[in-house]
């Protein structure tokens, strides 16, 4: 191998070149370093120093910004350059971010570090006061809660650290700084927003103030409604004082739900108010000045919980046990009984005879041909002679009254006249046709009634119930009548023979009615009398919710119950004891059918009324009335009661927060700066405003026309006798005859007018009652009139007698008077039914109505006198005086109110009423405090405050504070409807104090008087 070809141990020339270039570069760098000193190292060190100082400075800035944001939270952005940078959907968070940006910029501006002549600084982008500049600053900050809200993670973008040397930037770093800062600011705002949402959430929408208010007011309304119904001196079933107490208690419940505990001062104030309102409700009047009462509630520190047990339990009433609402078919039973007073028993005494015939055989002699050769037939005349003879005698088979065989022989004759070649000839053709016809006439028992089809025994023989004829001989009479109707047995056989066996022209059945025993109608009527009582005692429970929302249909429920019990009420035996027993059961069945038909007719009318009622409800009810009633029955709140949330207890995120409202108890009375420091000096404010409207209260028009007309303003200026009577009774109790006071003198005049009108109606009713009692009975008119006079003495006053006529109890007293006058019990009972039915008809036809104007004037005078009695009662010096006032106040509370369900002519099963309630409130200052960290890192308390102030701060560092937005006060607007239903009868349920639409001072605008405008509080009239 040559040297040129041998490549072993050779180094590439390119590699040698690379090594030469690399050595030259290293040498050149060393020479340059020795010629000029470097700033890179001191710049980096200075920037590192600044970076280390940046985090604690930013942490302190964030704490300061968070604390100031909590003290002045922005809830509504302003229309300013800074305010327009705040998003309306998240004003608090955006304002917090802007504050952090401004505080961070200020904090970073003071950080400077030097190293070997190099100065390092930190900063954020400048804010020039324009909206877009504020937006950039806001976008440079992110915040989010962590640790369950106890801290928040803050990220600041574009934190710039620069190194300067001789006035020029020699190095720069941009970085995002994330910090976790221990401050509950975001959680405080979130919880307060939750609280405010619960305060303004509808009752149907979910848990909140309206739902808690619904439960508490329902319990109060039901308890006071039942108390008034039972005789307690209650004129105002639901008033604003109950609304105020319930609202404040519900506010505390919502605080516990939102913050984990309630305002301690508010809890003590609610405890005091619970006791005080309870005293007012028991005594019926207001004791002490409103100013003193308000001062007590606004100074809870002066209230000792040791003396106020209610402060520990709060105010969380539950609906009382409700007396049942029942309905009975009394009216339908009465009317059915009168329709059955002359029972139709003919159908039970029917016997039907039936005819059956059969051609046993038919034979005929040969006939002569009808032709003559070469003769022409001119005429042909036919004649027949029939002879009927008996072949077989009647059998003794059961049920067959006639059974025989007849031989029907018919001689047929045909005479023909012929002609041929001028010669006439007559021929006669005769032959016999014989038919054997069997004739059967059977008579059987064929009842046509409503009794169950069961065996009747004995039958066709004397005996059975009442030992009557029991259809003896009825079969024979029925058969004879059928045979006679067809012309006799021979005629039947002849007709069948001629018709070829079908006998269609014959009458095949005939019905007769058997003889009925004496006393049958009276016996059946007596039996129906007992059945009427049993039917009248059948009852059904009507759900109160259904009554209130227009879904109750008592007639339909009663009809269903009677169908279920029909077999038991009919009480038919396994076999009937003769025909009379079957007639009795048939009358019972017909009676039950009449009752059911009447109830079904009333059920159809009730359904129509319910439709009208429900169509009127939407404009009067906030939400579904049915759901509101269900919520009211379930209870007040969805949160634990007072006592389960102790001081310092945390909420659902582990934070312990304490709300502090100013005032702690929102009063209906106005407050000033001296009582509530959050109210501006020289101004007054209404912390709470309320409006409570009773749907149907006295004075009111007639309710006899129907549920809808009364409830929604119909009627024709007449009231029923029952309404007028109840008003007269209340007036008499309030101002007994002979008393002389300023108010009683006025009442005496109006009452006398009402007495005249009621007496006129009662006299008309008495005459009509006597006429009804005489109809169909043997009662003499003189005896009836004497019973009317005797019945009057059973009631001490005209009002009570008129009330008895209205509710039907007059009829029983009238029957007792008849019996005392010698009328037998059965006749007296029938007379009572007739009177009861007639009084209902008079009420339905308005024959006994009383002018509404007369009634209402008396009711109004009674109300005014009752108000004066309340004031007298409060200052009564003696026990006897207080008792007299209480008796008179009780009289005023018996004024009628509410809507009878259903009105005449249908039975009155219940009285219903409703109240629409709207509350509007505003805290002058609402604060929430929680443990936090101070600006210096030490422990402290963070306060979140909502007081309605304008929020300003220097966001761009120019020394002037920009308006960022407004700090809105915590306010609310809640509405609900509560319903009370009591059993039938006076005084019903409703407010009778003359103040149907109760509006608190300042309604409808809570807060500082003459402050921001608010909308009118629209509510059903």
């Amino acid at each position: 191998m040559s040297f040129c070809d041998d490549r072993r141990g050779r180094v590439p020339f390119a590699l040698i070149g690379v090594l030469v270039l690399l050595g030259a570069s290293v040498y050149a760098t060393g020479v340059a370093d020795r010629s000029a000193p470097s700033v890179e190292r001191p710049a980096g060190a200075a920037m590192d120093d600044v970076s280390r100082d940046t985090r604690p400075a930013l942490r302190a800035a964030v704490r300061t910004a968070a604390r100031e944001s909590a003290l002045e939270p922005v809830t509504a952005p302003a229309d300013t350059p800074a305010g327009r940078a705040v998003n309306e959907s998240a004003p608090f968070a955006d304002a917090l971010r802007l504050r952090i940006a401004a505080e961070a910029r200020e904090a970073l501006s003071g950080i400077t570090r030097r190293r070997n002549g190099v100065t390092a600084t930190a900063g954020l982008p400048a804010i020039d006061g324009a909206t877009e500049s504020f937006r950039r600053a806001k976008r440079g900050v992110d915040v989010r809660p962590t640790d369950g809200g106890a801290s928040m993670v803050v990220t600041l973008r574009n934190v710039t650290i620069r190194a300067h040397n001789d006035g020029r930037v020699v190095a720069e770093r941009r970085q995002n700084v994330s910090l976790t800062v221990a401050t509950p600011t975001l959680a405080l705002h979130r919880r307060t927003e939750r609280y405010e949402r619960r305060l303004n959430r509808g009752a149907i929408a979910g848990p909140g103030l309206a739902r808690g208010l619904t439960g508490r007011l329902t319990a109060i309304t039901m308890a006071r409604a039942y108390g008034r119904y039972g005789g307690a001196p209650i004129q105002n079933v639901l008033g604003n004082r109950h609304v105020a107490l319930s609202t404040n208690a519900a506010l505390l419940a919502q605080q516990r739900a939102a913050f984990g505990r309630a305002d301690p001062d508010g809890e003590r104030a609610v405890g005091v108010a619970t006791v005080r309102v309870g005293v007012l409700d028991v005594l019926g009047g207001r004791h002490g000045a409103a100013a003193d009462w308000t001062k007590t509630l606004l100074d809870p520190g002066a209230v000792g919980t040791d003396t106020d047990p209610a402060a520990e339990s709060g105010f969380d009433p539950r609906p009382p046990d409700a007396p049942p609402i029942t309905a009975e078919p009394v009216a339908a039973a009465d009317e059915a009984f009168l329709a059955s007073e002359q029972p139709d028993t003919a159908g039970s005494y029917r016997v039907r005879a039936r005819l059956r015939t059969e051609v046993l055989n038919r034979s005929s002699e040969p006939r002569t041909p009808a032709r003559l050769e070469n003769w022409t037939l001119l005429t042909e005349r036919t004649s027949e002679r029939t002879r009927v003879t008996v072949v077989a005698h009647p059998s003794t088979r059961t049920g067959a009254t006639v059974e025989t065989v007849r031989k029907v022989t018919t001689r047929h004759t045909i005479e023909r006249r012929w002609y041929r070649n001028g010669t006439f000839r007559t021929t006669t053709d005769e032959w016999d046709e014989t038919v054997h016809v069997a004739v059967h006439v059977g008579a059987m028992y064929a009842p046509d009634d409503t009794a169950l089809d069961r065996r009747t025994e004995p039958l066709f023989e004397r005996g059975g119930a009442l030992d009557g004829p029991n259809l003896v001989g009825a079969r024979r009479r029925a058969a004879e009548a059928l045979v006679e109707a067809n012309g006799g047995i021979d005629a039947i056989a002849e007709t069948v023979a001629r018709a070829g066996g079908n006998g269609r022209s014959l009458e095949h059945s005939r019905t007769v009615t058997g003889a009925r025993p004496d006393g049958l109608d009276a016996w059946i009527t007596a039996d129906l009398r007992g059945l009427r009582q049993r039917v009248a005692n059948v009852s059904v429970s009507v759900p109160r919710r259904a009554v209130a929302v227009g879904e109750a249909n008592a007639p339909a429920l009663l009809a269903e119950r009677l169908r279920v019990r029909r077999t038991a009420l009919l009480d038919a035996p396994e076999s009937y004891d003769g025909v009379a027993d079957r007639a009795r059961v048939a009358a019972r069945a017909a009676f039950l059918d009449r009752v059911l038909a009447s109830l079904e007719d009333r059920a159809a009318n009730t359904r129509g009324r319910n439709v009208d009622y429900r169509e009127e409800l939407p404009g009067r009810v906030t939400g579904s009335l049915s759901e509101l009633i269900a919520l009211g029955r379930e209870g007040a709140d969805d949160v634990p009661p007072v006592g389960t949330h102790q001081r310092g207890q945390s909420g659902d995120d582990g934070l312990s927060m304490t709300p502090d409202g100013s005032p702690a108890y929102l009063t209906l009375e106005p407050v000033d700066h001296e009582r509530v420091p959050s109210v501006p000096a020289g101004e007054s404010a209404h912390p709470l405003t309320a409006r409570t409207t009773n749907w149907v209260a006295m004075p009111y028009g007639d309710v006899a026309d129907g549920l809808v007309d009364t409830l929604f303003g119909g009627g024709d200026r007449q009231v029923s006798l029952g309404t007028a009577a109840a008003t007269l009774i209340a007036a008499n109790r309030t101002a007994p005859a002979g008393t002389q006071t300023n108010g009683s003198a006025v009442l005496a005049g109006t009452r006398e007018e009402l007495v005249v009108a009621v007496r006129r109606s009662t006299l008309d009713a008495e005459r009509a009652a006597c006429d009804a009692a005489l109809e169909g009975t043997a009662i003499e008119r003189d005896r009836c009139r004497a019973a009317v006079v005797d019945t009057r003495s059973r009631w001490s006053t005209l009002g009570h007698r008129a009330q008895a006529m209205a509710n039907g109890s007059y009829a029983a007293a009238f029957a007792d008077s008849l019996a005392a006058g010698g009328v037998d019990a059965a006749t007296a009972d029938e007379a009572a039914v007739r009177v009861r039915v007639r009084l209902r008809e008079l009420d339905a036809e308005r024959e006994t109505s009383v002018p509404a104007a007369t009634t209402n004037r008396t009711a109004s005078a009674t109300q005014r006198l009752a108000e004066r009695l309340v004031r007298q009662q409060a200052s009564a010096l003696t026990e006897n005086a207080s008792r007299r006032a209480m008796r008179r106040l009780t009289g005023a509370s018996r004024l009628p109110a509410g809507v009878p369900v259903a009105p005449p002519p249908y039975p009155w099963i219940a009285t219903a009423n409703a109240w629409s309630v709207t509350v509007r409130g505003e805290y002058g200052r609402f604060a929430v405090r929680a443990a936090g960290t101070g600006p210096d890192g030490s422990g402290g308390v963070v306060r979140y405050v909502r007081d309605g102030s304008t929020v300003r701060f220097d966001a761009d560092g120019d020394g002037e504070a920009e308006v960022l937005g407004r700090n809105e006060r915590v306010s609310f607007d809640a509405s609900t409807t509560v319903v009370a239903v009591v059993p039938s009868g006076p005084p019903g349920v409703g407010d009778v104090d003359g103040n149907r639409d109760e509006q608190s001072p300042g309604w409808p605008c809570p807060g500082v008087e003459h402050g921001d405008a608010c909308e009118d509080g629209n509510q059903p009239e």
Side-chain angles (χ1 to χ4, degrees), residues 61 392 564 571 627 701 901 922:
V564 172
D571 194 20
E627 291 182 72
V901 182
E922 181 180 276

Side-chain angles (χ1 to χ4, degrees), residues 56 58-68 181-183 933-937:
L58 290 178
R59 192 181 305 277
V62 169
R63 279 197 292 262
T64 300
R67 186 176 296 274
E68 291 176 353
V181 182
T183 177
T933 304
D936 59 356

Side-chain angles (χ1 to χ4, degrees), residues 44-93:
M47 293 171 70
D48 289 342
D49 292 341
V50 169
S51 181
R52 283 191 295 270
D53 293 342
T54 295
R55 298 186 69 85
L58 290 178
R59 192 181 305 277
V62 169
R63 279 197 292 262
T64 300
R67 186 176 296 274
E68 291 176 353
S69 292
L71 288 173
E72 293 184 305
V74 176
T75 58
D79 188 15
T80 61
R84 286 190 288 273
V86 174
N87 196 324
E88 291 185 358
S89 63
F92 177 79

Side-chain angles (χ1 to χ4, degrees), residues 390-428:
V390 178
V391 176
H393 296 288
S395 72
T396 58
R397 189 166 56 187
T398 301
T401 55
V402 176
E403 187 166 4
T404 184
V405 177
R406 290 292 196 263
K407 176 182 178 182
V408 181
T409 303
T410 303
R411 169 62 59 90
H412 298 277
T413 301
I414 300 178
E415 185 179 278
R416 301 181 180 91
R417 188 171 176 78
W418 308 84
Y419 173 78
R420 189 179 69 177
N421 299 328
T423 303
F424 294 92
R425 180 179 175 181
T426 299
T427 61
T428 301

Side-chain angles (χ1 to χ4, degrees), residues 11 86 94 105 183 210 301 463 549 572 579 717 865 883:
V11 177
V86 174
D94 280 6
R105 183 172 176 273
T183 177
V549 301
V579 182
R717 300 179 183 177
L865 180 57
R883 288 178 177 175

Side-chain angles (χ1 to χ4, degrees), residues 461-516:
E461 62 183 62
R462 191 171 188 85
L466 301 181
D467 195 25
N470 207 34
L471 298 180
V472 169
R475 287 188 298 181
R476 178 180 54 77
R477 288 192 300 105
E480 289 175 352
L482 180 58
V483 170
E484 184 179 351
N486 286 293
I489 297 294
D490 290 350
I492 293 173
E494 185 177 348
T495 299
V496 171
R498 287 180 177 178
N502 56 39
R504 291 177 181 174
S505 61
L506 294 173
E507 182 177 341
H508 286 80
S509 68
R510 174 62 66 93
T511 301
V512 299
T513 301
R516 283 156 282 183

